[in-house]
Amino acid sequence: MVSSILGILCLFKILLGGKILGKFDILEHDLVPDFRILNREEYQKLRKALGIRKEDLPWIKNNDPVCIRMKEAQKGAHCPKCDSKLVESVEEREFKGVTTQKKVMKCEKCDYYEPVLGPGQILEITRRSQVAGHAVAFRYVVPG
């Protein structure tokens, strides 16, 4: 009886990321494919090539474990051009008389920026494939 209770407690610690197993980075796991956020220009090329809208792509929720981990990773990211810190800021755009605001991660020194992962973004997922070498899929991030 006591050993089964201890076994159950150990299992809960493992499942909850406790001291027994420790926490691990979901993006570094072998079975998790590579994820990347598409920028505006890449999305436009994809849209023209496939002839679809964002909403026509398969969806992924904003609270998916991979999306949550990607947002955490963006907060401590560095610029790939000059290796300075990326800070979160708001970019304003005007389209047909309507001004919209979008969160972006901007470099403190150079002009590099990347979008913050959130609803409305497109993720590119690259999986390793024995047949094709690699397979590319796209997901539309929705609130979740």
Side-chain angles (χ1 to χ4, degrees):
M1 177 79 174
V2 173
S3 64
S4 63
I5 292 173
L6 287 175
I8 292 171
L9 289 174
C10 287
L11 182 63
F12 279 128
K13 276 193 155 186
I14 289 170
L15 292 175
L16 297 175
K19 302 272 190 237
I20 295 173
L21 179 64
K23 294 192 177 190
F24 65 94
D25 187 358
I26 192 171
L27 296 176
E28 299 298 323
H29 195 279
D30 291 340
L31 298 176
V32 176
D34 296 329
F35 286 79
R36 188 175 70 84
I37 304 169
L38 293 185
N39 60 30
R40 199 174 324 142
E41 293 81 23
E42 293 170 326
Y43 164 66
Q44 292 299 331
K45 286 181 189 176
L46 176 71
R47 188 177 65 79
K48 287 179 182 174
L50 299 178
I52 59 172
R53 300 173 304 159
K54 289 182 188 183
E55 297 80 13
D56 296 334
L57 293 169
W59 294 357
I60 185 170
K61 287 189 176 183
N62 194 30
N63 62 0
D64 186 86
V66 170
C67 291
I68 292 170
R69 179 61 189 101
M70 285 180 72
K71 283 187 267 188
E72 290 172 2
Q74 278 188 320
K75 290 180 182 172
H78 291 276
C79 177
K81 290 183 179 178
C82 66
D83 201 39
S84 105
K85 189 174 180 183
L86 294 176
V87 292
E88 190 172 312
S89 65
V90 177
E91 177 186 78
E92 289 190 3
R93 289 184 290 173
E94 188 171 328
F95 181 70
K96 294 184 179 178
V98 178
T99 304
T100 59
Q101 294 182 341
K102 192 171 198 173
K103 290 183 181 179
V104 294
M105 299 296 286
K106 283 192 172 184
C107 179
E108 294 176 331
K109 294 182 180 177
C110 66
D111 62 343
Y112 178 81
Y113 76 95
E114 63 182 36
V116 173
L117 182 63
Q121 295 294 332
I122 304 293
L123 287 179
E124 178 186 65
I125 305 167
T126 307
R127 293 182 176 88
R128 290 175 294 285
S129 168
Q130 291 181 352
V131 176
H134 71 278
V136 179
F138 299 95
R139 297 288 182 268
Y140 175 61
V141 181
V142 296

